[in-house]
Amino acid sequence: MAAKVDKEKCVGCESCVGACPVGAIAVADGAAQIDESNCIECGACVGECPTEAISL
Protein backbone atom coordinates (compact mmCIF):
# COMPACT_ATOMS: atom_id res chain seq x y z
CA MET A 1 0.00 0.00 0.00
CA ALA A 2 1.41 3.36 -1.00
CA ALA A 3 1.01 6.78 0.55
CA LYS A 4 -2.24 8.52 -0.38
CA VAL A 5 -2.88 12.11 -1.47
CA ASP A 6 -6.04 13.99 -0.56
CA LYS A 7 -6.52 15.93 -3.81
CA GLU A 8 -8.77 18.48 -2.09
CA LYS A 9 -6.05 19.43 0.42
CA CYS A 10 -3.06 19.27 -1.96
CA VAL A 11 -1.98 22.66 -3.32
CA GLY A 12 0.70 21.33 -5.68
CA CYS A 13 3.59 23.01 -3.83
CA GLU A 14 6.03 20.15 -4.67
CA SER A 15 7.48 19.93 -1.13
CA CYS A 16 6.86 16.20 -1.15
CA VAL A 17 8.62 15.66 -4.49
CA GLY A 18 12.05 16.53 -3.10
CA ALA A 19 11.40 14.64 0.12
CA CYS A 20 10.79 11.30 -1.59
CA PRO A 21 14.01 9.24 -1.53
CA VAL A 22 12.87 7.01 -4.41
CA GLY A 23 11.36 9.62 -6.73
CA ALA A 24 7.85 8.18 -6.49
CA ILE A 25 6.08 11.56 -6.43
CA ALA A 26 5.36 14.03 -9.20
CA VAL A 27 2.95 16.95 -9.43
CA ALA A 28 0.47 16.85 -12.30
CA ASP A 29 -2.79 18.69 -12.82
CA GLY A 30 -2.06 20.79 -9.73
CA ALA A 31 -1.76 17.92 -7.27
CA ALA A 32 0.79 15.35 -6.13
CA GLN A 33 0.65 11.95 -7.78
CA ILE A 34 2.28 8.98 -6.06
CA ASP A 35 3.57 6.08 -8.14
CA GLU A 36 2.31 3.17 -6.06
CA SER A 37 4.72 0.71 -7.65
CA ASN A 38 7.73 2.79 -6.47
CA CYS A 39 6.49 4.07 -3.08
CA ILE A 40 8.31 2.39 -0.18
CA GLU A 41 5.98 3.81 2.49
CA CYS A 42 8.82 5.54 4.35
CA GLY A 43 6.64 8.52 5.33
CA ALA A 44 9.19 11.18 4.33
CA CYS A 45 6.55 12.97 2.25
CA VAL A 46 3.99 13.01 5.06
CA GLY A 47 6.09 15.26 7.27
CA GLU A 48 6.96 17.61 4.41
CA CYS A 49 3.39 18.36 3.34
CA PRO A 50 2.35 21.78 4.68
CA THR A 51 -1.37 21.07 4.14
CA GLU A 52 -1.36 17.53 5.59
CA ALA A 53 -2.64 16.17 2.27
CA ILE A 54 -0.51 13.01 2.37
CA SER A 55 -1.08 10.04 4.62
CA LEU A 56 0.12 6.45 4.87
Side-chain angles (χ1 to χ4, degrees):
M1 194 77 134
K4 301 287 184 214
V5 177
D6 182 332
K7 304 284 186 199
E8 291 186 19
K9 288 183 179 180
C10 182
V11 296
C13 70
E14 300 188 13
S15 292
C16 57
V17 175
C20 182
V22 294
I25 308 174
V27 174
D29 299 324
Q33 310 274 325
I34 299 177
D35 182 345
E36 294 184 12
S37 63
N38 287 333
C39 178
I40 60 172
E41 298 180 42
C42 67
C45 56
V46 176
E48 286 296 315
C49 183
T51 62
E52 298 180 354
I54 304 175
S55 61
L56 288 179

